[in-house]
Amino acid sequence: MDSNIEKLIKDFVKITSLKEYQFREVCGLTFVFEKKIAFINDEISSGEMKPLAIIYEENGEYYLAPLHTVDEINEVVKEFVRTQIQ
């Protein structure tokens, strides 16, 4: 029952969300940020940007050091390889 009400509200109010990962390199370290934006009726209602991890290269290999417990490590690695390593 609750999922039906939630779907009805989302459809009526047109709630959408965007989630993406951003990478910023500083002094040889790549900082990973997660950006979340919620839209209601095509206008930004809330946004969040939080640091997830640090990626660094040592002896030709890349290492990821999470800053806290991160559930989406695989997504971060896939996005890093897709956008940063050619």
Side-chain angles (χ1 to χ4, degrees):
M1 183 73 179
D2 292 337
S3 63
N4 292 335
I5 294 172
E6 182 179 331
K7 183 181 181 322
L8 178 66
I9 291 172
K10 283 185 177 182
D11 290 343
F12 180 73
V13 184
K14 296 181 186 170
I15 298 173
T16 57
S17 60
L18 170 72
K19 177 180 171 182
E20 64 181 30
Y21 301 104
Q22 294 186 334
F23 303 95
R24 301 283 187 241
E25 187 171 336
V26 178
C27 299
L29 299 174
T30 302
F31 292 85
V32 182
F33 296 93
E34 178 185 59
K35 182 170 87 171
K36 290 183 184 178
I37 301 174
F39 297 91
I40 296 179
N41 292 331
D42 296 327
E43 294 193 20
I44 296 175
S45 67
S46 68
E48 174 186 9
M49 190 166 195
K50 66 179 179 180
L52 291 181
I54 299 171
I55 298 174
Y56 60 96
E57 182 181 3
E58 186 176 304
N59 298 326
E61 295 185 11
Y62 288 93
Y63 296 91
L64 185 135
L67 299 174
H68 51 83
T69 303
V70 180
D71 295 330
E72 54 275 328
I73 293 279
N74 291 333
E75 293 177 37
V76 171
V77 171
K78 286 178 186 177
E79 186 70 14
F80 179 75
V81 170
R82 186 180 72 76
T83 61
Q84 305 296 314
I85 300 176
Q86 302 300 332

